[in-house]
Amino acid sequence: MPRFIKNGPIIPDSLVQELEEDRVVTFCGAGISAGAGLPDFRGLVEYCYNELGAVAPAAKDPEWGWLDRMLGALEGDFPDHMRAKVVERLDISATDLTLHEAILKLARLRGPVNGHRLVTTNFDLFFEQAQKGMALGVDYHSGPVLPIPRNDRIASWRSIVYLHGRLNPSSLDNQHLVLTSADFGRAYLTDAWAARFVARLFSEFTVLFIGYSLNDPVLRYMTDAFAADDELSRSGRKRAPAYIFVPYKGAPPTPKPWRQRRLEPIFYRAAYKHRALKNTLIEWARARQDYLASVRTIVQRYGTRLPSALEPSYASNLVWAVCDRDGDVGHGAKIFAGLPGPAPIEWLGEFERRDSEVRATHAAEVELAKKEGREPAIEPSYHIEMLFPPVADGDRETKLSGPAFELQNWLCQHLENDQLVNWVIQKLSANRRAHPRLRGFIRQRLDQSPSIASGFAIFWRIVASEGGWASAPAPEYAFSGVQHNLAAKLGAAWFDQELIAALRPYLTLSPSYRVAMGGTVDPNRFATIADAEVKLKRYHAFLVVDAIDELPNADTFWAERLDAITGLLKQVFDLYATVDKASASGDPSAMSRPSISPHAQNRNYAEWARLYDLIWRGWSEIDATNSQASRYWIQRWRRLPYLGFRRLALAATTQSRHFTPAEKLEALLHV
């Protein structure tokens, strides 16, 4: 869900998902307490110098880049007073705990265990003020006594951790607080209790930093700790980069400095006292508290509008709610499919773009895993792609994802939409076919009332067909090998079945030429919705046909199979008849086969037109030897309800020597 507020920071989808699955640790720095009345680390150092009357370096002195050293030097000069001044400045009641409350909601575990996963390097007690009744050792821990940051059901860490110590207002020395360079040295180098905690935490969880700057000494020590221990996590997955909220003024900065520290920046505008960050965290927490209600709100608010009419972040939010929630079993998609109207078909492009982006991200992850010698992440679901799998995958009914299953209902509400028609044609042209479950949904809708317009109904009957007559076959390269040692194979029953199967016709669809040339869609005329052509299952079949023709007695071979070849040609016209392109008065034979008998003008514009050659050669062989059989075939062709067969019968009558001139004239007058 990229944005939770208008013009707010873009939150990576992966981070949102990791948080929902209790795999995120929120790391809070001094910046989150600034709005509640406390200074940042530099402000605390300035306060101590001023209160103790010490001379601080000039404002632009490089020494200010090492605040821990400055406090160490100050403690050397004022050993009994520096920490007392720290307590004095930090021991206050918060002026505004809204941000702390939101962070607590974000850090709360959703799984079977209660508690929080939150680490703060602050010393203040604002989280305890935001949520009363916390107990030491249960609800919070304070360094150096820390829990083991494990992410499992048995010993799951579930408390607030004061990594650098918790303020003790009743004690003025507070020696346990990690303030000076010496304190950091013990915590991260010599005793290394903080370093061990941080390294283990980064190997087990995804980390989100809030309230830190890149040059913050606290952040520097922590990132150095986990960088030094950069190894594979216990799960075997390469440690993911930590995320950090980064304010900016003017144009967003380049992310390179943060990424060099294994940090993935989330940029936001720093205007109005970091209002964009605060409101984002508040809205994110609110959405997380009631995810199902939030999804419903998002879908109902934006789903009925065109994605192009929305701010891109709002459109992205809807895509997230519908498609990007693993484990919601299609809840968002079900709400989307149930919207009145229904939701515009233009959302299909947004959902498909999401699939493409997810696939590209996974491909990059696979490549990186290969280079690093580890197992890649499990391949994610591509919801729209699942609805039109490649024909090469076979026609097995693979289980659809929750969103894909629910989106079928939405698509079936747009069966009279030419945009959906053209989208489906693109899939068919890419040798894909509707998923068996989607085909069933379409047929179910076609059988319901109110019925859809007849032109669209024909199109969807073709798309939802089960017989294989309206879908391209899977790639087949082995058939061309049948021509080897052909003479020994001719006459075998299995060879006849292979040959006829290879020559079997099927229907293909393409965008309507009439509409492309400026015509309008007529819902009751198929020709304004799509164009249809017939092709043969195997182009390589004619390599075998040509090889057969080179053998002796090839004409006899075709004569013996005249019944099967006639049946194939009839299937061609039957397919054209389903789209209103073939009848007794007209069909595509006139264009695809100008001359029934062999002639130079026959260019074989369509593959199926070559069936006429095989029929003509077989019939010519019969006509030369058996007048009764010849007349039988001509009479049979005349009875078939297509102009292409009547033309065939007339050409054969004219050619045959078994008809009198009077019979030929009669045939010509009654074509």
Side-chain angles (χ1 to χ4, degrees), residues 451-494:
S451 60
I452 71 173
S454 58
F456 284 108
I458 292 173
F459 177 85
W460 291 110
R461 286 292 181 191
I462 294 170
V463 172
S465 64
E466 295 290 349
W469 54 270
S471 60
E476 176 59 63
Y477 305 106
F479 185 80
S480 58
V482 174
Q483 61 186 302
H484 300 301
N485 197 19
L486 190 61
K489 300 172 182 176
L490 293 184
W494 67 265

Side-chain angles (χ1 to χ4, degrees), residues 36-64:
L38 291 183
D40 58 15
F41 200 1
R42 174 166 178 152
L44 180 63
V45 173
E46 290 175 343
Y47 177 84
C48 291
Y49 267 81
N50 291 335
E51 289 295 310
L52 294 173
V55 178
K60 294 185 178 181
D61 193 299
E63 188 66 18
W64 284 103

Side-chain angles (χ1 to χ4, degrees), residues 261-316:
R261 302 277 292 275
R262 292 294 312 279
L263 298 172
E264 189 63 31
I266 304 173
F267 295 115
Y268 70 92
R269 294 187 180 277
Y272 304 105
K273 297 182 179 180
H274 304 268
R275 184 172 66 186
L277 173 62
K278 180 179 180 180
N279 291 343
T280 290
L281 296 177
I282 291 171
E283 290 303 316
W284 188 0
R286 184 178 299 163
R288 189 169 188 262
Q289 275 192 300
D290 191 350
Y291 160 69
L292 297 183
S294 298
V295 166
R296 182 176 295 277
T297 299
I298 292 170
V299 173
Q300 291 180 341
R301 181 177 298 168
Y302 306 126
T304 57
R305 301 171 63 185
L306 289 170
S308 59
L310 294 171
E311 181 185 337
S313 62
Y314 294 158
S316 297

Side-chain angles (χ1 to χ4, degrees), residues 49 57-58 60-71 73:
Y49 267 81
K60 294 185 178 181
D61 193 299
E63 188 66 18
W64 284 103
W66 302 93
L67 299 174
D68 53 322
R69 294 180 183 176
M70 293 177 65
L71 281 182

